């Protein structure tokens, strides 16, 4: 790694050129330079929220193919008397104009819906209103017939005769095509133009989704600049330097460019979930880039800069490279855990965010430092003043660290209490996905949806599909009777406004053909059904029965808005369907049903993703700190914010859905970054200063600023997302900001409180500690250990450097430690009968063992050559024994051998 | 452009009759001449066909019915059609009677299960006939029932290497047709319509009807399209009509084309 670090700082122009060349290529993938066309597209389809390959999804797709799309747009016209000539003409004109729009399959309204009736002379199947009459008696007759028609009363006309609906069926098209053609906008415009003094409501699944897509796109265009502004402000606040702010901004900009290029190259579009990807990458990426700049500025500020500018950047990069790499890894793990989700939208979110995080990390560790090499440091930092007066921030950090150490028990107890409180909140979580409720209660979409719900028999629908094993099964009266009974039962259920099925048409055509009765009954023979349908069947029936009369679909108009209500309704229907005759199989389906069923998947997916993320991050922490116990301790401060988040969901009633469900993995991945930065810095400081408490203070002083500013940038970024018009985006933004705030608190209070009693050895330490050649053979104290164990021993004790000429101690000085010479030479001056003996002590030799056990030095010891010593005290030996029992046992055994050997030689001398 | 009876334009579409005596090698120049070419494809008096209708839905499921169709032109130049169904079994004996009138044609159906004859209302004529992609309106026209309208000749075209006349016909408003216009490709050699496009509105046809030339055969000095496919572009469904048997000029009694016969003949 050091070679690579040197390359980055030694060849900054090469690095910059390479990065810029890749960026240019990435830009060319996103934008066609010749035409200016942008290749990033938005796919508003909610199919990405449905599990791929799921059996329910496949069935739904099949049903759509057989019966046509269930995605409609509904225009409701409301007036005092909708059956007036004026309003009927409006409805007729509205329907004709709407049907002329390209992409409209057909429109069902009072002017097109077929009135099936008959008399002695003939059977008439014709629209209720073909030519609007002016005669009041004729209008009254139209009203009577419409309101007594079982198919349309409550459906395309309210039972009180004040509201009429135009059901607009679309040609098969993607939601993207719908949006591109602006069909919903055209429909609303026509409705507004033709309404006169009537009230107009526009709703329907296709319409709601189109509005949602527009809102998401509009949010995206607003939040990207807002997030950029937020991180710019934070960058200026943090670095108080134009270039200092510019470097992280350019870095995240490049990272976003590359990530979007990958999106485009893989043929994917931004969807309803990944639409937050751009502002997210900007916010998260800022943290990595800022750490690099912050470390560099700190070196300048505290007078620890190297002789040359390039060496200073290299030193800063050396200090921050591994932590940034590891934090990138843990954040990526957090997002990658979402890649197991069965929902395409969440899976893509996980994968592309992971890619963005990794790219940001790489660019932060290459482009950022290279650019710093070419830029001059801020004037105020060019002449560093060592031990400059502490800033207000430093004073606050110091005070916070000391508070965390002093009140350690109270802080940990409070954290535990909050955790318990949150855990209870978790049990109150409601899992729910409500598309309409994404809109604010006063939003036009929601108002119209609820108005139609109130005035007609339901704005939404579920479909109960019955299948028989043979052709023409549903021409048999017995099977038609089963359908009829099911319809009657459905209409008794709460939240079901009305139903329509092929049975309604059969009965109407039967009555029309008979002509001499008002009764609506199912024909008595299969042959009669066949003949009636042969001559009287019409296009409208295609939505309710297939061409083989083997499958029927019952439309149940639903008033349920809450997905919990929909789920409960579906459960009840499915329980009823089990009671059907054996040869009939029934299922409930529909777009709304499927989306609500994914709620369960969301909850399960969340649990699995989080568990995976925790396990993976724990593994990384264990590797980093080479201890399962320390890894777990490091994980605790990160579990707390996640627990608080889920608790907040439960306590506030915000539902767990496909959007809010992303927050936990996101926060976990980000929060653990700060913990790693802190603990890594704490470890090196504690070893160097010889005290955990001092290590806590220095760690907070050093990483507190970047951790605080990056958390601030992230929070502001998420708050920018919370300015969305959509409730789920608002909730996502607020919750993420809140949870990151909690994570920050945990990092500045909880983690220091935990660390104050923690001795950690990091992987970095292990990798970089040099014990010279063959330490296991040349240092008896390390005999019987592996090289890794030897390094742990050295790190858990203390390594010290001493210069030649230094007097290590004098005889009779108090002592509490023994030393092992790792490099260099000491000389022990042992008083003897014939003057002082000068005993050289070289690599592997032990000195001061009497002081370790008896507390007083027995001879002078001076440093003859520059040396590196391993210092063992009772305390660090005990800690070694506790943390690494096997290593401790072997070290004690070796100490015993050394003492025994010393005693043997002393005895030999006396003899 | 001049007024033409649409029924004559479309008679060839279903039955595909063509009169061999026309000099097909001679190039027709006006829409009138093309129209005359069509009209010459009608039988002079009667025709009896056995037809099957196979309707295929969106997922490829096929429903088939079979019927015998009697056609007769009367002295007043108007025609009548009687259809009697044989298959499927639950339709056996069901019948349809079409009577061409100067203003509005009459349609009657017979249900053997009820033993009743019922008139069918006007609007039904634009709806699906027998669950196929043909509407009653199209079927009426196919059987030569006259409709008024305006026709014009368009630029010639080619289908499968064969040279075609192309005409566009606009139904008169009083006909209350479902279609704004109908565009037809007429084979220059046989005067059989090999392609017809039905436009409800706009520049995309709602339905397209085709007759594969390899299924056009010569029967008693006339050209007959033995197979015709109607494709509904909006619903993505197809119906194939096949002429299984055909006899021209047979003696068919007048009384066959009455409500009484529609009723009695089905019992």
């Amino acid at each position: 790694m050091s070679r690579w670090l040197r390359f980055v700082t030694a060849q900054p122009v090469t690095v910059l050129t390479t990065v810029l060349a890749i960026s240019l290529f990435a830009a060319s993938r996103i934008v066609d330079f010749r035409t200016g066309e942008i290749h990033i597209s938005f796919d508003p389809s909610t199919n990405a929220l449905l599990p791929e390959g799921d059996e329910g999804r496949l069935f739904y797709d099949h049903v759509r193919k057989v019966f046509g799309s269930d995605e409609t747009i509904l225009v409701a016209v409301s007036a005092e008397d909708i059956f007036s000539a004026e309003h009927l003409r409006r409805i007729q004109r509205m329907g004709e104009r709407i049907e002329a729009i390209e992409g409209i399959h057909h429109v069902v309204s009072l002017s097109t819906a077929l009135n099936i009736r008959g008399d002695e002379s003939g059977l008439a199947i014709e629209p209720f209103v073909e030519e609007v009459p002016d005669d009041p008696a004729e209008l009254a007759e139209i009203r009577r017939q419409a309101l007594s028609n079982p198919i349309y009363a409550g459906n395309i006309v309210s039972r009180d005769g004040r509201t009429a609906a135009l059901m607009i069926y679309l040609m098969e098209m993607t939601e993207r095509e719908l949006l591109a053609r602006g069909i919903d906008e055209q429909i609303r415009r026509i409705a507004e133009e033709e309404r006169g003094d009537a009230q107009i409501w526009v709703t329907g699944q296709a319409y709601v989704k189109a509005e949602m897509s527009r809102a998401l796109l509009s949010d995206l265009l607003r939040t990207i600049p807002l997030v950029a502004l937020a991180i710019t402000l934070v960058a200026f606040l943090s670095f108080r330097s134009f270039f200092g702010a510019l470097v992280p901004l350019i870095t995240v900009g490049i990272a976003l460019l590359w990530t979007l290029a990958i999106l485009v190259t893989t043929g994917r579009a931004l969807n309803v979930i990944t639409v937050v990807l751009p502002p997210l990458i900007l916010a998260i990426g800022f943290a990595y880039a800022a750490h690099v700049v912050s470390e560099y500025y700190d070196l300048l500020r505290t007078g620890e800069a190297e002789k040359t500018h390039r060496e200073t950047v290299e030193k800063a990069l050396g200090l921050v490279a591994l932590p940034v790499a590891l934090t990138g890894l843990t954040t990526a793990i957090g997002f990658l855990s979402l890649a197991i989700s069965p929902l395409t939208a969440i899976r893509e979110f996980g994968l592309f965010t992971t890619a963005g995080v990794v790219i940001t990390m790489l660019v932060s560790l290459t482009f950022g430092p290279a650019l710093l090499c070419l830029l001059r440091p801020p004037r105020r930092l060019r002449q560093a003043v060592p031990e400059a007066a502490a800033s207000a921030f430093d004073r606050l950090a110091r005070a916070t660290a000391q508070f965390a150490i002093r009140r350690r028990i109270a802080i940990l107890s409070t954290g535990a209490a909050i955790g318990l409180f949150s855990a209870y909140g978790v049990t109150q979580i409601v899992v729910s996905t409500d598309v309409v409720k994404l809109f604010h209660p006063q939003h036009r979409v929601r108002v119209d949806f609820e108005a139609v719900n109130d005035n007609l028999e339901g704005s939404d629908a579920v479909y109960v599909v019955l299948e028989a094993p043979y052709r023409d099964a549903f021409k048999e009266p017995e099977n038609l009777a089963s359908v009829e009974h099911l319809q009657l039962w459905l209409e008794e259920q709460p939240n079901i406004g009305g139903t329509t099925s092929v049975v309604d048409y059969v009965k109407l055509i039967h009555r029309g053909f008979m002509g001499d009765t008002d009764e609506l009954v199912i024909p008595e023979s299969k042959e009669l059904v066949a003949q009636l349908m042969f001559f009287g069947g019409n296009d409208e029936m295609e939505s309710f029965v297939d061409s083989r009369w083997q499958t029927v679909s019952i439309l149940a108009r639903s008033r349920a808005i809450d997905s919990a209500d929909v789920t409960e309704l579906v459960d009840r229907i499915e329980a009823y369907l089990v009671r059907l005759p054996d040869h009939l199989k029934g299922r409930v389906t529909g777009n709304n049903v499927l989306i609500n069923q994914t709620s369960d998947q969301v909850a399960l997916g969340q649990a699995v993703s989080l568990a995976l993320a925790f396990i993976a991050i724990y593994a990384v922490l264990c590797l980093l700190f080479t201890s399962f116990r320390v890894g777990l301790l490091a994980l605790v401060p990160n579990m707390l914010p996640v627990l608080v988040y889920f608790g907040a969901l439960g306590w506030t009633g915000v539902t767990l859905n496909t959007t809010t469900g992303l927050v936990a993995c996101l926060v976990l991945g980000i929060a653990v970054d700060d913990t790693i930065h802190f603990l890594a810095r704490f470890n090196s400081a504690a070893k160097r200063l010889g005290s955990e408490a001092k290590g806590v203070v220095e760690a907070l002083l050093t990483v507190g600023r970047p951790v605080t500013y990056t958390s601030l940038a992230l929070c502001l970024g998420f708050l920018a997302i919370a300015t969305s018009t959509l409730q789920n985006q608002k909730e996502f933004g607020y919750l993420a900001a809140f949870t990151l705030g909690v994570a920050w608190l945990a990092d500045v209070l909880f983690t220091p409180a935990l660390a104050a009693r923690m001795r950690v050895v990091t992987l970095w330490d292990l990798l970089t500690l040099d014990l010279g050649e063959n330490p296991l053979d040349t240092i008896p104290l390390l005999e019987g250990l592996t090289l890794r164990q030897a390094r742990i021993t050295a790190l858990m004790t203390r390594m010290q450097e001493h210069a030649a000429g230094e007097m290590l101690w004098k005889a009779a000085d108090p002592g509490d430690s023994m030393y092992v010479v790792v490099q260099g030479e000491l000389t022990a001056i042992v008083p003897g009968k014939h003057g002082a003996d000068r005993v050289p002590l070289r690599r592997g030799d032990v000195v001061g063992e009497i002081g370790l056990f008896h507390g007083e030095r027995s001879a002078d010891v001076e440093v003859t050559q520059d040396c590196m010593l391993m210092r063992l005290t009772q305390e660090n030996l005990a800690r070694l024994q506790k943390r690494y029992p096997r290593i401790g046992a072997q070290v004690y055994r070796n100490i015993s051998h050394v003492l025994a050997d010393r005693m043997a030689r002393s005895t030999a001398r006396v003899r | 452009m001049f007024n033409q009876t649409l029924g004559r334009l479309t008679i060839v579409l279903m039955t595909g009759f063509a009169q061999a005596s026309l000099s097909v090698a001679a190039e027709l120049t006006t829409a009138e001449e093309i129209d005359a070419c069509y009209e010459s494809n009608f039988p002079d008096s009667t025709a009896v066909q056995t037809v099957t209708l196979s309707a295929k839905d969106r997922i490829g499921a096929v429903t088939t019915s079979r019927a015998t169709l009697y056609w007769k032109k009367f002295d007043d130049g108007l025609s009548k059609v009687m259809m009697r169904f044989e298959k499927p079994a639950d339709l056996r004996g069901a019948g349809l009677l079409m009577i061409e009138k100067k203003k509005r044609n009459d349609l009657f159906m017979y249900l053997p299960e009820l033993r009743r004859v019922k008139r069918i209302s006007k609007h039904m004529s634009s709806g699906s006939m027998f669950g196929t992609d043909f509407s009653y309106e199209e079927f009426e026209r196919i059987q030569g029932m006259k409709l008024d309208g305006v026709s014009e000749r368009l630029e010639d075209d080619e289908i499968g290497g064969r040279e075609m006349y192309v005409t566009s016909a606009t139904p008169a408003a009083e006909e209350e047709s479902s279609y704004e216009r109908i565009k037809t490709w007429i084979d220059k050699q046989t005067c059989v319509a090999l392609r017809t496009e039905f436009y409800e509105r706009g520049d995309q046809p709602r339905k397209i009807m085709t007759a594969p030339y390899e299924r056009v055969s010569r029967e008693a000095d006339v050209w007959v399209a033995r197979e015709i496919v109607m494709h509904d572009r909006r619903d993505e469904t197809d119906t194939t009509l096949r002429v299984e048997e055909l006899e021209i000029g047979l003696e068919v009694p007048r009384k066959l084309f009455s409500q009484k016969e529609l009723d009695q003949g089905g019992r």
Side-chain angles (χ1 to χ4, degrees), chain A residues 93-154:
Chain A
R93 275 199 308 274
M94 216 182 276
E96 286 167 1
R97 288 183 64 187
I98 290 171
E99 202 162 81
I101 297 173
E102 200 176 318
I104 301 297
H105 193 277
H106 67 282
V107 177
V108 177
S109 69
L110 281 174
S111 64
T112 61
L114 296 177
N115 184 14
I116 302 168
R117 57 190 178 80
D119 54 32
E120 286 298 320
S121 63
L123 171 68
I125 302 181
E126 54 197 18
F128 285 98
V129 180
E130 235 177 335
E131 285 278 345
V132 179
D134 289 304
D135 178 33
E138 289 182 53
L139 289 170
E141 179 57 19
I142 291 171
R143 180 193 177 97
R144 188 194 68 75
Q145 287 182 14
L147 294 182
S148 64
N149 186 295
I151 295 176
Y152 303 121

Side-chain angles (χ1 to χ4, degrees), chain A residues 73-84 87-92 94 107-111 129 146-147 152-168 191 198-203 451-452 455-457:
Chain A
I73 296 177
L74 187 150
V75 175
V77 183
S78 188
E80 191 60 39
D81 177 17
I82 210 68
F83 288 97
S84 68
H87 285 119
L88 288 178
R89 287 195 181 103
R90 284 192 202 289
I91 289 166
Q92 194 168 49
M94 216 182 276
V107 177
V108 177
S109 69
L110 281 174
S111 64
V129 180
L147 294 182
Y152 303 121
N155 186 9
I156 62 165
V157 61
S158 63
R159 294 188 190 274
D160 61 6
R162 297 163 69 114
T163 306
L166 292 88
M167 298 288 300
I168 302 157
Q199 201 167 6
I200 292 288
W201 302 306
V202 183
T203 188
V452 170
N455 286 277
L456 291 168
E457 286 185 343

Side-chain angles (χ1 to χ4, degrees), chain A residues 764-887:
Chain A
W764 182 243
D765 298 329
L766 272 186
L767 291 174
T768 56
L769 178 63
D770 182 8
L771 291 173
E773 272 194 44
N774 300 320
L776 308 181
D777 296 328
T778 56
I779 301 177
L781 190 78
L782 302 178
E783 195 177 310
L785 299 173
T786 63
L787 184 58
R788 175 182 163 275
Q789 289 172 331
R791 284 185 171 146
I792 289 173
T793 303
L795 292 165
M796 286 296 290
T797 51
R798 191 148 286 143
M799 301 296 286
Q800 292 179 186
E801 290 178 351
H802 295 275
E806 188 182 326
M807 185 60 77
L808 204 58
W809 63 70
K810 283 185 154 324
D813 279 347
D816 62 354
S817 51
M818 68 184 251
Y819 291 79
V820 178
V821 181
V822 178
Q823 282 168 13
E825 189 179 284
L826 302 175
T827 302
I829 304 160
V830 183
K833 282 185 190 170
H834 307 288
D837 288 329
R838 295 182 70 85
V839 179
L841 299 161
R842 300 187 183 94
R843 180 175 168 80
D845 288 336
V846 171
V847 64
E849 67 277 12
I850 294 174
L852 174 67
F853 294 109
H854 284 276
E856 193 178 278
R857 299 298 181 196
S858 59
D860 294 352
V861 173
E862 83 178 65
V863 181
T864 321
Q865 291 176 16
D866 288 349
C867 63
M868 169 90 75
L869 304 177
M870 187 188 302
R871 180 170 180 259
L872 293 84
T873 65
Q874 295 275 13
E875 196 186 346
N876 61 33
L877 280 173
R879 201 176 290 129
L880 176 69
Q881 173 67 33
K882 194 175 177 188
R883 298 259 193 277
Y884 303 96
R886 282 191 188 171
I887 299 174

Side-chain angles (χ1 to χ4, degrees), chain A residues 389-402 697 700-701 705:
Chain A
S391 67
F393 193 98
D394 291 343
R395 288 197 294 276
L396 184 61
R398 187 181 298 278
T400 305
Q402 284 161 351
V697 173
L700 207 54
L701 274 172
R705 188 191 300 266

